[in-house]
Amino acid sequence: MTECAFFRANMETKVNKSDAKSLARDPRQTHEELLQLVGFHVGGEEFGIDILRVQEIIRAQQLTRVPNSPECMEGVMNLRGKIIPVIALRKRFGLEETPPDKQNRIVVVEIQGAVLGFIVDAVSEVLRIPADTVEPPPRLGLVEREYVSGVGKLGDRLLILLDADRLMSGSAEGTMGTAVAQA
């Protein structure tokens, strides 16, 4: 069983990210509604992305660089005959690069009708968190919350929920949307 099949097999409740935003603002919602997220680490922080966006999780592999591609685009890979652009989330977030290790994974997601991969430091687990524990991103300025749809509380830890659509359409990498659309 692939890692993706494991994640999908454990999926019980479906709540999309727009529901998460409205639930974060409306405390009257019930505690029974759960968000299903794939948790992963980038640069010492824990992030989550809607499990319905994730197609599969694979081990990091050799990528082919594409000339004149955006800086955060690490390259492309052949995934069962389909060419998939791969984005280094460390670069996208402006974090220091680290040498690849055995924990690195590529999270294959569908965003705006295109399939692409995100290189992450490690994938942790499938998370089920009550939707009412998610709060809107802090108002620290546009840059800090540009890709964040909310912050979830997991006991004493915080989980940064990514907005995949905004992650790929940010102004810092204006050509990224074009690169993904062409792939």
Side-chain angles (χ1 to χ4, degrees), residues 2 4 12 14 24 33 38 41 49 52 70 87 89 97 110 114 117 136 146 149 164 171 176:
T2 67
C4 181
E12 295 169 359
K14 297 178 182 178
E33 295 186 66
V38 173
H41 296 269
I49 192 165
L52 297 177
I87 311 306
L89 284 187
E97 291 184 56
E110 183 175 344
E146 185 175 3
S149 64
S171 59
M176 183 55 68

Side-chain angles (χ1 to χ4, degrees), residues 58-73:
I58 59 175
R59 294 184 192 281
Q61 56 185 268
Q62 184 68 36
L63 302 174
T64 302
R65 292 284 303 161
V66 178
N68 299 319
S69 61
E71 185 177 327
C72 67
M73 187 167 148

Side-chain angles (χ1 to χ4, degrees), residues 36-49:
Q36 298 267 345
L37 307 165
V38 173
F40 57 89
H41 296 269
V42 176
E45 297 296 332
E46 190 171 11
F47 294 88
I49 192 165

Side-chain angles (χ1 to χ4, degrees), residues 15-182:
V15 178
N16 67 32
K17 79 174 163 40
S18 63
D19 292 338
K21 289 179 183 177
S22 64
L23 291 172
R25 294 184 192 112
D26 187 359
R28 295 171 292 174
Q29 296 291 331
T30 67
H31 290 277
E32 296 180 24
E33 295 186 66
L34 297 176
L35 298 176
Q36 298 267 345
L37 307 165
V38 173
F40 57 89
H41 296 269
V42 176
E45 297 296 332
E46 190 171 11
F47 294 88
I49 192 165
D50 185 354
I51 197 167
L52 297 177
R53 293 287 188 120
V54 177
Q55 291 190 350
E56 63 186 291
I57 298 168
I58 59 175
R59 294 184 192 281
Q61 56 185 268
Q62 184 68 36
L63 302 174
T64 302
R65 292 284 303 161
V66 178
N68 299 319
S69 61
E71 185 177 327
C72 67
M73 187 167 148
E74 201 64 22
V76 294
M77 68 178 183
N78 183 345
L79 184 65
R80 291 185 291 285
K82 187 169 184 178
I83 303 302
I84 309 290
V86 179
I87 311 306
L89 284 187
R90 277 184 165 272
K91 288 182 181 179
R92 184 70 173 133
F93 296 157
L95 300 173
E96 181 180 323
E97 291 184 56
T98 60
D101 65 27
K102 292 181 180 181
Q103 295 298 313
N104 292 141
R105 295 289 185 264
I106 298 176
V107 179
V108 179
V109 297
E110 183 175 344
I111 297 175
Q112 300 170 358
V115 177
L116 65 142
F118 292 144
I119 299 174
V120 301
D121 294 346
V123 173
S124 54
E125 59 188 318
V126 172
L127 300 163
R128 293 180 185 94
I129 64 172
D132 63 352
T133 64
V134 176
E135 295 186 11
R139 294 180 178 235
L140 298 174
L142 179 61
V143 175
E144 289 86 355
R145 59 190 184 108
E146 185 175 3
Y147 316 128
V148 178
S149 64
V151 178
K153 293 179 261 182
L154 297 164
D156 61 347
R157 358 187 290 236
L158 294 178
L159 178 72
I160 301 167
L161 305 182
L162 293 179
D163 183 328
D165 293 321
R166 282 191 281 174
L167 184 63
M168 297 320 303
S169 63
S171 59
E173 300 285 347
T175 58
M176 183 55 68
T178 305
V180 169
Q182 292 173 350

